[in-house]
């Protein structure tokens, strides 16, 4: 097995656990948040800055890299790590979610999905085998099975058929995947229907994947529904395999997800938020571009150890963002990524110290309370 | 005197010289190139990156900072150095050039210039006294007298009147300037008319400025005309004061300017070029965004010591720029600024080693020759 996972400690009062994920490019401490580098770059950031922030693993998008610069170019460069000069682990998604959310004019058949590029309208075809071929060329440490992600809301019949298709595609992915230095994770689907989720998990577990993505959540449903699905699904999943909640990254969801047994998260949210001039603080999100900060010469957050807070004032960052200066969104991105890597470190420390429930209560009340 | 200048060596076969400019925020080795940070940031760059590149001094724009965030905000932050967290020297221009090149609906009188903001159309008035007030609030180490920069081409009569006005305004600037930790430089005008240039210089020298800007060049006239003006003007200027050729920054002009006795340069060109996907190399400028570089896995320039060339390929940078990723223009900006700071270092070393003319011939033939 290319990737090995071990649970090093379990919380006695929740489903949270500490773990270690060993990959060819290094060890990841879990629970972990993965910033997203869609086009082989975490937007605005240089790779050494991500390392300095303590980022352990990033996610990159198969759909985007396939279209531009082309997976053949990345392969010729020596793979994604070398192409983008990122020495630590990478996870690529399967392209499924993007085909269903970005590409126009898609047609789904048993064989795969025909779609048009959102860049130039050109026609393409993704199948489980094609997704594996591309992801093998990109060379990430962890790759994902090609799935269909049902929209929300969707009726039970559609969600069931979609889940069944995802299971059949998962089998084809497993057969097509050949690189022993990569781990292929299956993706549990089933929408907000708990029985379909359990079915999906059991079907995938027969294929014995080294890890399980939980897809199709955080797509518009209320958070309580998502938490309910996790509470029901996680006990079905194998204890000794990592559980990856896909596309989820707001601080409250990270804490709630960990409490329910999730080991890995990714989301564009913290970096996208930063580019819209919003910064994350322990007391909620702050619209730094607004007028009240024009003469606020304190840092984004007192006591924050990030480069931004150590060196620049809210007034300066506001000025940069108002003036459309790139340094502005660099500084907010640094802060937001730091906030989340720091939060995950704090969560891990709390699990280690047997006080995660107390930590969670305190964090959530400050974060969702006064803004 | 806030700023002290010493010439440490003179080239025997050209007007080039080595110098040291002592300021409150550190010593600048001349000849020097100053990257431009129009809105209190050198576009795309963090201040520590500029330090790492060996940048000794940056220029910032009075007109822009006055309009946004407001010079009062910068003053309240503790001045421009503190506001933008740049510990080394800063030079601010007078706002004159921007008023004449950016602001619509301007009216020039003896008193000053009324203009409308290019941001919101609001009405403003700049006079020599107002320019001094703003530049004292910003707190740069070197500030510039408020001048009128005549366009090119312009008839002799207009240029003479404009030059005369600039002299009268220089006197008013000198009277209005009160900060002893700042040096106020005069600006020589006179277009491409050599006698007017000499007149302007002699009039300003009566006011005994600690340094002299040479304004109104590189505004559209052929380079040979600019070089001719420099050859005629520089011998008139005092030997013991720095000479600053404003708005000039292409590598060939830097070399030619130094040969003609210029000590300081600034220009938005290298950073703007970078944002358009053009990189400077010893063999001329390279359009890195073009197709031939899609599978070029070498650095921008072999042997270049910059972060970009040490870590990333032409193919990756091209991909980033095609995909509108900010890291792309960060990397090209780093390379271009490094190229110019390195070039100035090489020029200084050549003067020290008594071989500047040979260095210049070799550099210029490679740079302007094969591309």
């Amino acid at each position: 097995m290319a990737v090995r996972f071990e649970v090093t400690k379990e919380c006695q009062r929740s489903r949270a656990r500490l773990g270690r994920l060993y990959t060819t490019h290094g060890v990841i401490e879990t629970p972990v948040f993965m910033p997203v580098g869609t086009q082989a770059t975490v937007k605005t950031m240089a790779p050494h800055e991500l390392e300095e922030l303590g980022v352990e693993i990033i996610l990159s998008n198969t759909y985007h890299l396939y279209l531009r610069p082309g997976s053949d170019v990345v392969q010729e460069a020596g793979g994604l790590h070398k192409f983008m000069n990122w020495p630590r682990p990478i996870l690529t998604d399967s392209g499924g979610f993007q085909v269903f959310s970005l590409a126009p004019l898609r047609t789904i058949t048993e064989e795969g999905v025909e779609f048009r590029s959102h860049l130039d309208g050109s026609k393409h075809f993704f199948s489980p085998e094609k997704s594996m071929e591309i992801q093998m060329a990109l060379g990430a440490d962890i790759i994902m099975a090609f799935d269909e992600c049902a929209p929300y809301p969707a009726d039970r019949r559609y969600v069931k058929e979609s889940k069944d298709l995802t299971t059949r595609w998962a089998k084809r992915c497993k057969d097509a995947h050949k690189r022993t230095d990569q781990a292929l994770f299956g993706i549990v689907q089933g929408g907000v229907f708990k029985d379909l989720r359990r079915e999906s998990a059991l079907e995938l577990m027969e294929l014995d994947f080294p890890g399980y993505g939980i897809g199709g959540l955080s797509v518009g449903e209320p958070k309580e529904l998502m938490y309910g699905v996790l509470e029901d699904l996680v006990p079905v999943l194998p204890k000794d395999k990592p559980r990856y909640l896909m596309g989820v990254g707001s601080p409250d969801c990270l804490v709630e997800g960990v409490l329910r047994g999730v080991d890995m998260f990714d989301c564009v949210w913290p970096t996208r938020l930063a580019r819209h001039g919003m910064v994350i603080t322990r007391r909620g999100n702050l619209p730094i571009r607004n007028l009240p900060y024009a003469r606020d010469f304190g840092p984004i957050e007192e006591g924050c150890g990030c480069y931004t807070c150590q060196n620049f004032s809210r007034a300066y960052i506001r000025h940069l963002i108002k003036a459309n200066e790139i340094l502005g969104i660099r500084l907010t991105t640094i802060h937001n990524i730091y906030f989340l890597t720091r939060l995950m470190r704090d969560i891990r420390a709390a699990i280690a110290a047997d006080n995660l429930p107390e930590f969670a209560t305190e964090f959530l009340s400050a974060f969702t309370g006064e803004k």
Side-chain angles (χ1 to χ4, degrees), chain A residues 81-279:
Chain A
H81 294 85
K82 212 172 158 198
F83 184 58
M84 66 180 290
N85 195 36
W86 171 251
R88 296 188 183 178
I90 302 176
L91 181 150
T92 46
D93 62 6
S94 67
F97 183 77
Q98 278 70 32
V99 165
F100 294 109
S101 59
L102 290 180
L105 298 172
R106 57 191 180 272
T107 321
I108 310 171
T109 61
E110 182 67 30
E111 184 51 27
V113 188
E114 189 180 86
F115 62 96
R116 288 186 181 273
S117 159
H118 73 294
L119 296 175
D120 63 5
S122 57
K123 225 183 240 185
H124 300 271
F125 186 77
F126 272 8
S127 62
E129 293 75 16
K130 181 76 185 174
S131 174
M132 291 302 102
E133 181 194 318
I134 301 169
Q135 292 188 80
M136 286 189 282
L138 297 174
D141 302 273
I142 301 171
I143 71 172
M144 302 302 295
F146 189 66
D147 60 331
E148 194 206 338
C149 176
Y152 177 87
D155 64 46
R156 184 185 163 84
R157 189 170 151 181
Y158 182 90
V159 174
K160 177 171 167 33
E161 279 172 15
S162 167
K163 183 272 292 173
D164 291 344
L165 182 65
T166 293
T167 298
R168 294 192 297 276
W169 283 359
K171 172 80 172 69
R172 282 166 58 190
C173 284
K174 180 113 187 170
D175 291 342
H177 183 238
K178 305 292 176 204
R179 275 185 74 155
T180 56
D181 60 342
Q182 292 182 315
L184 168 63
F185 283 19
I187 301 180
V188 176
Q189 289 289 355
V192 294
F193 303 99
K194 292 180 176 176
D195 57 331
L196 296 183
R197 285 278 171 186
R198 285 194 298 269
E199 263 181 44
S200 174
L202 294 170
E203 288 162 6
L204 294 174
M205 285 159 66
E206 277 181 34
L207 299 172
D208 191 25
F209 286 102
Y212 294 86
I214 304 168
L217 289 175
S218 198
V219 289
E221 81 284 0
K223 285 181 180 180
E224 291 310 321
L225 262 185
M226 175 172 83
Y227 299 148
V229 167
L230 289 177
E231 282 158 23
D232 196 75
L233 170 64
V234 165
V236 179
L237 290 170
K239 278 211 151 189
D240 59 344
K241 299 288 163 63
R243 305 152 186 164
Y244 159 31
L245 180 56
M246 303 177 76
V248 169
S250 76
D252 50 332
C253 292
L254 294 179
V255 173
E256 301 280 10
V258 169
L259 285 169
R260 289 163 179 80
V262 174
D263 305 299
M264 304 165 70
F265 303 86
D266 81 283
C267 197
V268 295
W269 178 85
T271 40
R272 183 172 291 166
L273 203 70
R275 295 196 305 283
H276 287 93
M278 294 279 284
V279 288

